[in-house]
Amino acid sequence: VNIEVSICISVHNTEIFLRRCLESVVNQTLVRKEIILIDNGSTDSSLSIMLEYQAQYPNIINVHSQEDKGLAQGRQAGINNAKGRFIAFLDADDYVKIDTYEKMYISALRHNVDIVECQTIRESVIIKSNYNGVHCTSKVLSDYFVNGGVPTMLWMRLFKRSLFSRPVMPNMYVNNEDIFAFPCLLYKAKDIFFLQEQLHYYSTDNDKSVMNEIIKKSSSDLSLRS
């Protein structure tokens, strides 16, 4: 079977949210998909949940375990095991609408682009780039550096797998890998399509999420300086 989209999910201690995430991907309307779950050194019941879903959906779910190497190398492990024509990333505490990857995949083929971006919602606020339709990635990359009006989050996008022929994820323990990888992917790609539809749900109720940990650290640093 030719796999159209590989959905890569790096998991580290997200047992509370993991089932919601997995339910949103196993029920996707896109038929030819695979779900690659990377257990990134979890110490809670996350791995048990992943294995439970793998047993239930053996044809589409593959589970791989490694020591905690940070989100960047969790994503890289997903890429290394992906067989799809396109790759998508999803954080284990987020989730997507049931037709997300079908719509993004169809858009990629219809517009013959290397990247498709959808919109996400966080606390009732839509997060998106200030673009519509197809754009040359060199122009978007320039705007990214000059104006900063382009979100970096990889999980907003579908990427042609060939863009990962050489690693773009930093080979270090780092969680904000997007700021390293996204400009590299824009540089390697030719065109990007901005799908004007909110398909992703950005969770803010995980106290241990990457973003919340960064916010806590920033607050702590500020308090030490004051």
Side-chain angles (χ1 to χ4, degrees):
V1 177
N2 291 325
I3 297 169
E4 295 168 339
V5 176
S6 300
I7 306 163
C8 303
I9 306 173
S10 177
V11 181
H12 178 71
N13 293 344
T14 51
E15 60 183 4
I16 300 173
F17 308 96
L18 187 53
R19 291 181 189 277
R20 179 181 67 181
C21 173
L22 294 179
E23 286 296 323
S24 78
V25 289
V26 297
N27 292 304
Q28 285 291 304
T29 55
L30 183 73
V31 176
R32 291 194 289 274
K33 60 182 176 290
E34 67 173 357
I35 301 163
I36 301 171
L37 303 178
I38 305 299
D39 173 43
N40 214 16
S42 295
T43 56
D44 63 1
S45 64
S46 292
L47 179 57
S48 295
I49 295 170
M50 286 185 272
L51 293 174
E52 171 194 326
Y53 272 80
Q54 183 183 45
Q56 192 173 353
Y57 301 95
N59 295 327
I60 60 171
I61 292 183
N62 295 297
V63 177
H64 304 270
S65 290
Q66 63 184 30
E67 63 184 32
D68 182 15
K69 297 181 179 180
L71 184 55
Q73 286 304 300
R75 297 217 199 281
Q76 185 61 51
I79 295 165
N80 294 345
N81 288 283
K83 300 180 179 68
R85 185 174 178 184
F86 286 82
I87 290 179
F89 301 100
L90 185 61
D91 286 352
D93 50 358
D94 295 343
Y95 58 106
V96 288
K97 291 185 177 178
I98 196 169
D99 55 355
T100 294
Y101 299 117
E102 182 177 19
K103 285 184 173 179
M104 295 180 81
Y105 180 73
I106 289 172
S107 295
L109 298 187
R110 181 176 294 154
H111 300 284
N112 190 28
V113 295
D114 298 323
I115 305 173
V116 175
E117 176 179 312
C118 72
Q119 300 174 0
T120 185
I121 187 167
R122 179 183 182 182
E123 295 179 337
S124 303
V125 177
I126 297 290
I127 299 173
K128 62 176 182 175
S129 298
N130 296 320
Y131 298 93
N132 191 4
V134 177
H135 289 266
C136 179
T137 52
S138 60
K139 172 65 167 61
V140 178
L141 182 60
S142 176
D143 285 350
Y144 172 80
F145 284 117
V146 176
N147 302 316
V150 185
T152 61
M153 293 86 79
L154 296 181
W155 39 252
M156 293 177 68
R157 302 175 178 99
L158 186 71
F159 300 94
K160 190 170 286 185
R161 183 160 63 99
S162 58
L163 297 177
F164 300 94
S165 57
R166 296 182 65 184
V168 296
M169 300 293 175
N171 189 15
M172 62 182 79
Y173 192 105
V174 64
N175 286 326
N176 55 337
E177 80 301 333
D178 312 68
I179 61 173
F180 295 91
F182 183 51
C184 295
L185 291 163
L186 282 177
Y187 179 77
K188 295 173 77 171
K190 183 181 178 184
D191 296 299
I192 179 172
F193 175 70
F194 294 89
L195 178 60
Q196 295 294 302
E197 190 170 349
Q198 181 259 313
L199 299 173
H200 179 278
Y201 292 92
Y202 187 174
S203 175
T204 58
D205 51 3
N206 181 7
D207 288 338
K208 296 181 181 178
S209 71
V210 171
M211 187 54 64
N212 283 335
E213 290 294 333
I214 291 171
I215 291 169
K216 286 179 193 173
K217 186 178 186 305
S218 299
S219 300
S220 174
D221 290 346
L222 286 171
S223 65
L224 288 173
R225 291 176 194 152
S226 58

